Amino acid sequence: MKKAKTLFSKWGIVLPVLLLLLHTAHAQTPDPGIPGSYSVVKSEYNLGDMAYKPADFPDSVEVRGSVFYPSAMTTAAAKYPVIFLLHGRHDTCYDTSSLSTSGVWPCPPGSAPITSYEGYDYLANNLTSHGYIVISVSCNSINATDNSVGDYGMQGRAELLQHHMDLWNTWTTTGGGPFASLFVGHLDMQNVGTMGHSRGGEGVVFNALYNRSLGSPYGIHAVLTLAPVDFERHVLHGIPLLNIAPYCDGDVNDLQGVHFYDDSRYSDTTDEAPKHSILFMGANHDFFNTVWTPGSYIAGGVDDWLYGFSPYDPQCGPLATGTHRFDTTTQKNALLAYAAAFYRVYIGHETEYSPILTVDDIHPPSTSTLDSSQVFVSYHPARFQRLDVNRSDSSNKLTVNSLQDSVLVGGTLTADICGGGLGMASCGISGSSAQVPHEGSYWTIGLAQTNLVWTDTTAYIDNRIPNSLEDVSAYDNLVFRTSVNFSLYSSAPNLDLTVELVDSFGAVSDVDAGAFTHALFVQPGTQSGDLPKTVFNTVSIPLGYFGAVDLTHVTDIKFKFNQTPSGALLISDLAFAKSPCNGIAASTSDSIGVAGDTVFFSSAVNAATTDFVSQLWNFGDPGS
């Protein structure tokens, strides 16, 4: 975090001191990447290459997977939360002599299946060591046929995953199958999380909706989409969502998964589920999976950035001098830490991990090679946790905001709204769909966004707050999402702006937005047609830093572009928001302290001693 300006709050505490306290609080956030104390056992199951016929897929498919469980399970009468993992599209078989690969199913004589489902064993080991049962599902058969199906096999993936859930529900209820009575009474099928990678990412969204259509027999309470496709644009409400986007994705290079976050924000006014998105600046598509990583598997893998992009791009090229690409260990550690934090908040109900998902500069020690210029978070709180000031979702939001009060533009500022079906031309963006993933040429509707362009330091935009809503003291942060408009501003330095609150008594308080985020960076890379990209990230400023104003009488939010002589920013989702501790999850046993926007616990929680036997807390799916 950059150093903030020295401003006094109404409590007489200088901001650098508050920042020090905030860093101390950050340091007390536990590291989800550290293994827990449970010993882990892995088992395999294989019911056959053509064991199940999904109703909405032309072929019969394999039923094969792995299960990780705590060894203590066999000696304790306890139920454990369950995580299901679904890999993406990859070759299905390899020749055992030449190691050449193919995409057929079943594998012909002389070849063996590529076990893509084992590529997340490192994540499964970590979660299981903290008291989860993790099941990874093989999906080779659908990969062999999906391009010939209208939905690219997404409903087939949903039904295959649901079939595995049905099997495990039987095995934990009455036993049988390959495990006899081993798992009877041990899987909590009402406390389930899912993760899907690439086409598996859209598959787990389809599965969550399919499970709901069946009356929600299983309690799916967290869905993680990892570098996913989003061909069908299905929208998931009512379940906490995390999308992970790798900036150097050489496969899904238009980062389609950002739409899972964007599309769900306002489309259901009853939705109480928070949304998260994380951008890894140096990650590619394949290296999250060890089977797809070169040198980690007998049949090998590739660096997907090299499919058709320059190996010498300064940001993503693995051969560039000073490249910013993650190595394979860094990339896997990043997924492990952030995925584990997500599940431990929404499945394990351990709210002490929530800052990792919501604060821009929280980086677990297990990701020690990363910093605030390499990982960015977006967080959209549940409806009851925020007051939307300006959603930028229609062209009239340049004059009347979402609170039905005035928007004032002054100085040299010019403002336009684009995206959201309005096209990108009015914002001066001429990039390809890969460069503007929040819009993209495949869809008519994308993220609506306000483009703000200034040519001197007098520019500002002022969102007025109506009298009836001036009291924002119940909220903790001022938040907005932003990205630099690379078509209109592409050179150093990175941008910054001053955020000003005004109250009805005339008091004014200014805060440097750059003290709280690195999200105002000029996007890197020179790969024609692919880089740079605009990817929106959340800026969150604790309201305690606006100490000179009365938070019960706030009349204006003013963005002043007085820190650089010119620039162009894209902004959306301006709101007041509550901190996660006021609603992400419930805690019943640990004392909580709050410093700014950070939650920290008075003592570290050892997940190995957490009682998962009877989870009374329920969140999310209204059908469950």
Side-chain angles (χ1 to χ4, degrees), residues 286-297:
D286 285 356
F287 287 2
F288 297 112
N289 185 308
T290 58
V291 172
W292 300 358
T293 301
S296 299
Y297 186 72

Side-chain angles (χ1 to χ4, degrees), residues 187-462:
L187 277 71
D188 185 354
M189 296 299 292
Q190 294 307 311
N191 195 17
V192 173
T194 61
M195 184 191 87
H197 185 185
S198 195
R199 294 199 187 188
E202 189 169 8
V204 295
V205 170
F206 266 66
N207 171 257
L209 296 170
Y210 180 58
N211 179 67
R212 182 176 293 164
S213 75
L214 299 176
S216 297
Y218 310 116
I220 299 174
H221 298 307
V223 174
L224 193 162
T225 56
L226 175 63
V229 299
D230 184 18
F231 295 145
E232 299 296 306
R233 288 297 282 276
H234 282 16
V235 181
L236 180 63
H237 297 116
I239 300 175
L241 170 78
L242 168 61
N243 179 68
I244 293 179
Y247 189 82
C248 297
D249 195 318
D251 187 356
V252 187
N253 64 321
D254 53 2
L255 307 187
Q256 298 171 24
V258 298
H259 292 279
F260 289 125
Y261 181 104
D262 292 347
D263 293 353
S264 62
R265 293 166 303 137
Y266 307 121
S267 52
D268 183 345
T269 59
T270 66
D271 189 3
E272 301 294 3
K275 315 292 184 287
H276 301 270
S277 187
I278 294 176
L279 173 66
F280 292 148
M281 289 300 296
N284 72 347
H285 188 82
D286 285 356
F287 287 2
F288 297 112
N289 185 308
T290 58
V291 172
W292 300 358
T293 301
S296 299
Y297 186 72
I298 186 173
V302 295
D303 181 346
D304 52 271
W305 179 260
L306 299 179
Y307 284 168
F309 305 120
S310 169
Y312 299 102
D313 180 86
Q315 171 65 25
C316 296
L319 302 182
T321 301
T323 183
H324 296 281
R325 276 288 303 278
F326 293 174
D327 60 43
T328 61
T329 299
T330 297
Q331 183 160 328
K332 291 170 179 61
N333 284 344
L335 172 62
L336 191 156
Y338 287 89
F342 178 63
Y343 292 125
R344 293 182 70 176
V345 169
Y346 293 109
I347 302 300
H349 318 313
E350 299 173 78
T351 55
E352 62 269 34
Y353 293 97
S354 62
I356 296 169
L357 305 172
T358 60
V359 181
D360 200 23
D361 67 341
I362 291 281
H363 301 289
S366 58
T367 63
S368 60
T369 57
L370 302 181
D371 61 33
S372 295
S373 67
Q374 298 167 304
V375 179
F376 296 93
V377 300
S378 288
Y379 169 54
H380 191 69
R383 179 181 57 84
F384 67 89
Q385 289 186 287
R386 67 177 201 274
L387 175 67
D388 296 328
V389 177
N390 199 326
R391 296 179 177 179
S392 301
D393 55 358
S394 63
S395 56
N396 70 341
K397 291 300 192 298
L398 292 174
T399 55
V400 180
N401 61 31
S402 300
L403 299 179
Q404 299 304 303
D405 211 328
S406 300
V407 179
L408 308 174
V409 174
T412 62
L413 189 73
T414 59
D416 293 282
I417 289 182
C418 59
L422 301 174
M424 303 302 289
S426 63
C427 290
I429 296 178
S430 57
S432 67
S433 62
Q435 292 180 275
V436 288
H438 294 274
E439 182 63 15
S441 61
Y442 291 117
W443 310 285
T444 58
I445 302 297
L447 174 69
Q449 49 206 266
T450 300
N451 185 45
L452 302 171
V453 184
W454 65 97
T455 55
D456 68 35
T457 56
T458 66
Y460 70 87
I461 185 168
D462 185 350

